[in-house]
Amino acid sequence: MGKHSRRKPSYLPKVAVGAAPLALLLAGPATALATQTDPSIPLPLDHQREGSFDRGVGFTSEDDTTVFRGFLTNTERNVFSKDLGDAKTVADVRRSVSQTVETRDRVTARPDKVGALAAAKTSEAVKQGQREAVKVERYGSVVAGNETELDRTGERLTEVSLDPRTGVPTFVSEDSRGLRASEGTYHAVRPLPGVGVINETDQQAGGGLDRAMRLDGAFSGDLGGVLEAGRSSGHAIDVGDFAAIGATSAQHGNGRFRGVLPLDVGSGAGYGQEHALGGTIGPSTGLVTTGQNVNLAQPGAGLTGSGSHTISGDLGIGEVASVRGTSTSSVRGVLPTADPAQAGHLTQSGTLDLTLLGQPSHTGFVAGALPLELEPA
């Protein structure tokens, strides 16, 4: 902080991993695609098609382990375009499929261990997206598109061994699976050069399951899983060099469980959200962000929880002055507990940074309340 220029900054801050970069929409794909059209193609629509198919396999040796790696990737792109006087329409459709495989095999023969191990990792991804654009020369453009992606991962390991010194056999089996899906949309309308409205959304959902088992004279194992979902969105209005304003929002949550055999079990859940609003008017810039998160866990018969709320603001006037402030409230606690010191804690903190004519100053504080005794109603 502290330095501001007349250059207009990005007015849509990225608030989530899944948020699509709105800056890509501002460029408008129609201009880039116009130079690729071959006017000699005697079709109602000019059509361009390109694609690739790559694959590879290989074996390597790492100490006493034999490793096999393989991959396959297939991509395809079709571009349809048409000139209608001063107007040009473009449809860009893309698809891709990829898969990777890695296996490891090992045989061990040592005085302290004799055994064999087999492990494998796999991943698969399917992606499809399309974008349509209409551009009118000397005026603006309209862009609309969407993208869908599906990913699947898997890992497994099996090991059998024997300790010749004790004669105790060991059997280990591990397995994990994951699945994720996402979908995003974006729209941009620019009736005039430098003036426009942009909107985009993104949704994600996924889950995973892990299993492990071990036999070495006794039995132990665990089973765990998680389900996650999230969404994000962004909206912006741009009026050229005069002003721009944008807002983003994101929410995400998860639920999880875990059991460690034969005695311990646990579960938990979490939720979080972030919001931002910012813009520029001439040499002035401003941004306000806020975020909240809650996390609950139940290890055995107990319950632990934590949460926080943060809000921050940023205001600048060119090279003259800037101010930034942040405030955070957080709470955590354990139930049930006989120790009041663990029952609950509340913390409040804040900072304020001010820069005037290039001279910065900083203040901050952290305050903790007395332990709060939380009891179930």
Side-chain angles (χ1 to χ4, degrees), residues 67-99:
V67 182
F68 166 80
R69 294 184 177 93
F71 75 92
L72 183 150
T73 303
N74 185 28
T75 64
E76 181 182 358
R77 181 186 182 191
N78 289 276
V79 181
F80 304 89
S81 61
K82 183 66 177 179
D83 289 319
L84 302 171
D86 291 337
K88 183 179 184 64
T89 63
V90 178
D92 189 348
V93 181
R94 306 188 185 200
R95 300 182 180 92
S96 67
V97 178
S98 63
Q99 182 177 23

Short mmCIF file of all heavy atoms in Angstrom, two decimals, residues 67-99:
data_model
loop_
_atom_site.label_atom_id
_atom_site.label_comp_id
_atom_site.label_asym_id
_atom_site.label_seq_id
_atom_site.Cartn_x
_atom_site.Cartn_y
_atom_site.Cartn_z
N VAL A 67 9.58 -48.66 -12.04
CA VAL A 67 8.53 -47.65 -12.18
C VAL A 67 8.08 -47.60 -13.64
O VAL A 67 8.91 -47.53 -14.56
CB VAL A 67 9.04 -46.25 -11.75
CG1 VAL A 67 7.91 -45.23 -11.87
CG2 VAL A 67 9.57 -46.31 -10.33
N PHE A 68 6.79 -47.67 -13.84
CA PHE A 68 6.19 -47.53 -15.17
C PHE A 68 5.34 -46.26 -15.18
O PHE A 68 4.53 -46.04 -14.28
CB PHE A 68 5.31 -48.74 -15.50
CG PHE A 68 4.42 -48.52 -16.69
CD1 PHE A 68 4.92 -48.64 -17.97
CD2 PHE A 68 3.08 -48.17 -16.51
CE1 PHE A 68 4.10 -48.42 -19.07
CE2 PHE A 68 2.26 -47.95 -17.60
CZ PHE A 68 2.76 -48.08 -18.88
N ARG A 69 5.53 -45.44 -16.21
CA ARG A 69 4.75 -44.21 -16.36
C ARG A 69 4.19 -44.15 -17.77
O ARG A 69 4.88 -44.45 -18.75
CB ARG A 69 5.61 -42.97 -16.09
CG ARG A 69 6.09 -42.83 -14.66
CD ARG A 69 6.84 -41.51 -14.48
NE ARG A 69 7.25 -41.31 -13.09
CZ ARG A 69 8.43 -41.67 -12.61
NH1 ARG A 69 9.32 -42.26 -13.42
NH2 ARG A 69 8.74 -41.46 -11.35
N GLY A 70 2.94 -43.75 -17.86
CA GLY A 70 2.30 -43.61 -19.15
C GLY A 70 1.29 -42.48 -19.14
O GLY A 70 0.75 -42.12 -18.09
N PHE A 71 1.08 -41.87 -20.30
CA PHE A 71 0.12 -40.78 -20.40
C PHE A 71 -0.53 -40.79 -21.77
O PHE A 71 0.01 -41.32 -22.75
CB PHE A 71 0.79 -39.42 -20.15
CG PHE A 71 1.63 -38.94 -21.31
CD1 PHE A 71 1.09 -38.12 -22.30
CD2 PHE A 71 2.95 -39.32 -21.43
CE1 PHE A 71 1.86 -37.68 -23.36
CE2 PHE A 71 3.73 -38.89 -22.49
CZ PHE A 71 3.18 -38.06 -23.47
N LEU A 72 -1.71 -40.19 -21.85
CA LEU A 72 -2.45 -40.06 -23.09
C LEU A 72 -3.21 -38.75 -23.04
O LEU A 72 -3.90 -38.45 -22.05
CB LEU A 72 -3.40 -41.23 -23.29
CG LEU A 72 -4.21 -41.28 -24.59
CD1 LEU A 72 -4.48 -42.73 -24.99
CD2 LEU A 72 -5.54 -40.54 -24.43
N THR A 73 -3.10 -37.94 -24.09
CA THR A 73 -3.78 -36.65 -24.16
C THR A 73 -4.36 -36.48 -25.55
O THR A 73 -3.66 -36.65 -26.55
CB THR A 73 -2.82 -35.49 -23.85
OG1 THR A 73 -2.23 -35.68 -22.58
CG2 THR A 73 -3.57 -34.17 -23.86
N ASN A 74 -5.62 -36.12 -25.60
CA ASN A 74 -6.31 -35.89 -26.86
C ASN A 74 -7.03 -34.54 -26.78
O ASN A 74 -7.82 -34.31 -25.86
CB ASN A 74 -7.31 -37.01 -27.15
CG ASN A 74 -7.97 -36.84 -28.51
OD1 ASN A 74 -7.39 -36.26 -29.42
ND2 ASN A 74 -9.18 -37.35 -28.64
N THR A 75 -6.75 -33.63 -27.70
CA THR A 75 -7.39 -32.32 -27.73
C THR A 75 -8.00 -32.07 -29.10
O THR A 75 -7.50 -32.56 -30.12
CB THR A 75 -6.38 -31.20 -27.41
OG1 THR A 75 -5.38 -31.15 -28.44
CG2 THR A 75 -5.72 -31.43 -26.07
N GLU A 76 -9.06 -31.29 -29.11
CA GLU A 76 -9.74 -30.94 -30.36
C GLU A 76 -10.32 -29.54 -30.23
O GLU A 76 -10.87 -29.17 -29.19
CB GLU A 76 -10.85 -31.94 -30.68
CG GLU A 76 -11.57 -31.65 -31.99
CD GLU A 76 -12.69 -32.63 -32.25
OE1 GLU A 76 -12.88 -33.56 -31.44
OE2 GLU A 76 -13.40 -32.46 -33.27
N ARG A 77 -10.20 -28.77 -31.32
CA ARG A 77 -10.74 -27.41 -31.34
C ARG A 77 -11.40 -27.17 -32.70
O ARG A 77 -10.81 -27.45 -33.74
CB ARG A 77 -9.65 -26.38 -31.11
CG ARG A 77 -10.15 -24.94 -31.10
CD ARG A 77 -9.01 -23.94 -31.03
NE ARG A 77 -9.51 -22.58 -30.96
CZ ARG A 77 -8.75 -21.50 -31.10
NH1 ARG A 77 -7.44 -21.63 -31.30
NH2 ARG A 77 -9.28 -20.29 -31.04
N ASN A 78 -12.61 -26.66 -32.67
CA ASN A 78 -13.34 -26.29 -33.87
C ASN A 78 -13.77 -24.84 -33.76
O ASN A 78 -14.38 -24.44 -32.75
CB ASN A 78 -14.59 -27.17 -34.06
CG ASN A 78 -14.23 -28.59 -34.45
OD1 ASN A 78 -14.02 -28.89 -35.63
ND2 ASN A 78 -14.13 -29.48 -33.47
N VAL A 79 -13.45 -24.05 -34.80
CA VAL A 79 -13.80 -22.64 -34.83
C VAL A 79 -14.67 -22.38 -36.05
O VAL A 79 -14.26 -22.66 -37.19
CB VAL A 79 -12.54 -21.74 -34.87
CG1 VAL A 79 -12.95 -20.27 -34.88
CG2 VAL A 79 -11.64 -22.03 -33.68
N PHE A 80 -15.87 -21.87 -35.81
CA PHE A 80 -16.79 -21.51 -36.87
C PHE A 80 -16.95 -19.99 -36.86
O PHE A 80 -17.20 -19.40 -35.80
CB PHE A 80 -18.16 -22.18 -36.67
CG PHE A 80 -18.09 -23.68 -36.55
CD1 PHE A 80 -17.92 -24.28 -35.31
CD2 PHE A 80 -18.20 -24.48 -37.66
CE1 PHE A 80 -17.86 -25.66 -35.18
CE2 PHE A 80 -18.14 -25.86 -37.56
CZ PHE A 80 -17.97 -26.45 -36.32
N SER A 81 -16.83 -19.38 -38.03
CA SER A 81 -16.95 -17.92 -38.09
C SER A 81 -17.67 -17.52 -39.36
O SER A 81 -17.73 -18.28 -40.35
CB SER A 81 -15.57 -17.26 -38.04
OG SER A 81 -14.78 -17.69 -39.14
N LYS A 82 -18.22 -16.29 -39.34
CA LYS A 82 -18.95 -15.78 -40.49
C LYS A 82 -18.91 -14.27 -40.46
O LYS A 82 -19.16 -13.64 -39.42
CB LYS A 82 -20.41 -16.27 -40.45
CG LYS A 82 -21.23 -15.85 -41.65
CD LYS A 82 -20.75 -16.49 -42.93
CE LYS A 82 -21.62 -16.13 -44.13
NZ LYS A 82 -21.13 -16.74 -45.39
N ASP A 83 -18.59 -13.67 -41.62
CA ASP A 83 -18.63 -12.22 -41.78
C ASP A 83 -19.99 -11.81 -42.33
O ASP A 83 -20.45 -12.36 -43.35
CB ASP A 83 -17.53 -11.75 -42.73
CG ASP A 83 -16.16 -11.88 -42.10
OD1 ASP A 83 -16.03 -11.55 -40.91
OD2 ASP A 83 -15.22 -12.30 -42.80
N LEU A 84 -20.62 -10.84 -41.67
CA LEU A 84 -21.92 -10.32 -42.09
C LEU A 84 -21.81 -8.81 -42.21
O LEU A 84 -22.29 -8.06 -41.35
CB LEU A 84 -23.01 -10.70 -41.09
CG LEU A 84 -23.20 -12.20 -40.83
CD1 LEU A 84 -24.15 -12.42 -39.67
CD2 LEU A 84 -23.70 -12.90 -42.09
N GLY A 85 -21.12 -8.37 -43.22
CA GLY A 85 -20.90 -6.93 -43.37
C GLY A 85 -19.95 -6.43 -42.30
O GLY A 85 -18.81 -6.90 -42.19
N ASP A 86 -20.40 -5.48 -41.51
CA ASP A 86 -19.59 -4.95 -40.41
C ASP A 86 -19.61 -5.85 -39.19
O ASP A 86 -18.89 -5.59 -38.23
CB ASP A 86 -20.07 -3.55 -40.02
CG ASP A 86 -19.77 -2.52 -41.10
OD1 ASP A 86 -18.85 -2.77 -41.89
OD2 ASP A 86 -20.47 -1.49 -41.14
N ALA A 87 -20.42 -6.87 -39.21
CA ALA A 87 -20.53 -7.77 -38.06
C ALA A 87 -19.79 -9.07 -38.34
O ALA A 87 -19.70 -9.53 -39.48
CB ALA A 87 -21.98 -8.04 -37.73
N LYS A 88 -19.28 -9.67 -37.28
CA LYS A 88 -18.58 -10.95 -37.39
C LYS A 88 -19.01 -11.83 -36.23
O LYS A 88 -19.05 -11.38 -35.07
CB LYS A 88 -17.07 -10.75 -37.36
CG LYS A 88 -16.28 -12.04 -37.54
CD LYS A 88 -14.80 -11.75 -37.53
CE LYS A 88 -14.00 -13.01 -37.80
NZ LYS A 88 -14.25 -13.54 -39.16
N THR A 89 -19.34 -13.08 -36.51
CA THR A 89 -19.72 -14.04 -35.48
C THR A 89 -18.67 -15.14 -35.43
O THR A 89 -18.16 -15.58 -36.46
CB THR A 89 -21.10 -14.65 -35.76
OG1 THR A 89 -21.05 -15.38 -36.99
CG2 THR A 89 -22.16 -13.56 -35.86
N VAL A 90 -18.37 -15.59 -34.23
CA VAL A 90 -17.36 -16.63 -34.01
C VAL A 90 -17.88 -17.58 -32.95
O VAL A 90 -18.39 -17.15 -31.91
CB VAL A 90 -16.01 -16.04 -33.57
CG1 VAL A 90 -15.01 -17.15 -33.31
CG2 VAL A 90 -15.47 -15.08 -34.62
N ALA A 91 -17.73 -18.88 -33.21
CA ALA A 91 -18.03 -19.93 -32.21
C ALA A 91 -16.78 -20.78 -32.08
O ALA A 91 -16.29 -21.35 -33.06
CB ALA A 91 -19.22 -20.77 -32.63
N ASP A 92 -16.27 -20.88 -30.87
CA ASP A 92 -15.03 -21.61 -30.58
C ASP A 92 -15.36 -22.73 -29.61
O ASP A 92 -15.75 -22.49 -28.46
CB ASP A 92 -14.01 -20.65 -29.98
CG ASP A 92 -12.63 -21.27 -29.85
OD1 ASP A 92 -12.52 -22.50 -30.02
OD2 ASP A 92 -11.67 -20.55 -29.57
N VAL A 93 -15.20 -23.99 -30.06
CA VAL A 93 -15.53 -25.16 -29.24
C VAL A 93 -14.26 -25.96 -29.00
O VAL A 93 -13.55 -26.31 -29.96
CB VAL A 93 -16.60 -26.04 -29.93
CG1 VAL A 93 -16.94 -27.23 -29.04
CG2 VAL A 93 -17.84 -25.23 -30.24
N ARG A 94 -13.96 -26.27 -27.74
CA ARG A 94 -12.75 -27.00 -27.39
C ARG A 94 -13.10 -28.19 -26.50
O ARG A 94 -13.95 -28.08 -25.62
CB ARG A 94 -11.76 -26.10 -26.67
CG ARG A 94 -11.42 -24.83 -27.43
CD ARG A 94 -10.29 -24.08 -26.78
NE ARG A 94 -10.04 -22.80 -27.43
CZ ARG A 94 -8.91 -22.13 -27.34
NH1 ARG A 94 -7.91 -22.61 -26.61
NH2 ARG A 94 -8.75 -20.97 -27.96
N ARG A 95 -12.38 -29.30 -26.74
CA ARG A 95 -12.54 -30.50 -25.91
C ARG A 95 -11.17 -31.10 -25.66
O ARG A 95 -10.29 -31.03 -26.52
CB ARG A 95 -13.44 -31.53 -26.60
CG ARG A 95 -14.84 -31.07 -26.92
CD ARG A 95 -15.65 -32.19 -27.54
NE ARG A 95 -17.00 -31.78 -27.87
CZ ARG A 95 -17.36 -31.29 -29.06
NH1 ARG A 95 -16.44 -31.15 -30.00
NH2 ARG A 95 -18.61 -30.95 -29.28
N SER A 96 -11.02 -31.72 -24.51
CA SER A 96 -9.75 -32.40 -24.21
C SER A 96 -10.01 -33.55 -23.24
O SER A 96 -10.89 -33.48 -22.38
CB SER A 96 -8.73 -31.43 -23.60
OG SER A 96 -9.13 -31.00 -22.32
N VAL A 97 -9.23 -34.61 -23.43
CA VAL A 97 -9.28 -35.79 -22.55
C VAL A 97 -7.84 -36.18 -22.25
O VAL A 97 -6.99 -36.22 -23.14
CB VAL A 97 -10.01 -36.97 -23.24
CG1 VAL A 97 -10.00 -38.19 -22.34
CG2 VAL A 97 -11.43 -36.58 -23.61
N SER A 98 -7.55 -36.45 -20.98
CA SER A 98 -6.19 -36.83 -20.60
C SER A 98 -6.24 -37.91 -19.53
O SER A 98 -7.20 -37.99 -18.76
CB SER A 98 -5.41 -35.62 -20.08
OG SER A 98 -5.99 -35.10 -18.91
N GLN A 99 -5.19 -38.72 -19.52
CA GLN A 99 -5.07 -39.79 -18.53
C GLN A 99 -3.60 -40.05 -18.26
O GLN A 99 -2.77 -40.03 -19.17
CB GLN A 99 -5.74 -41.07 -19.01
CG GLN A 99 -5.71 -42.21 -18.01
CD GLN A 99 -6.44 -43.44 -18.51
OE1 GLN A 99 -6.62 -43.62 -19.69
NE2 GLN A 99 -6.89 -44.28 -17.58
#
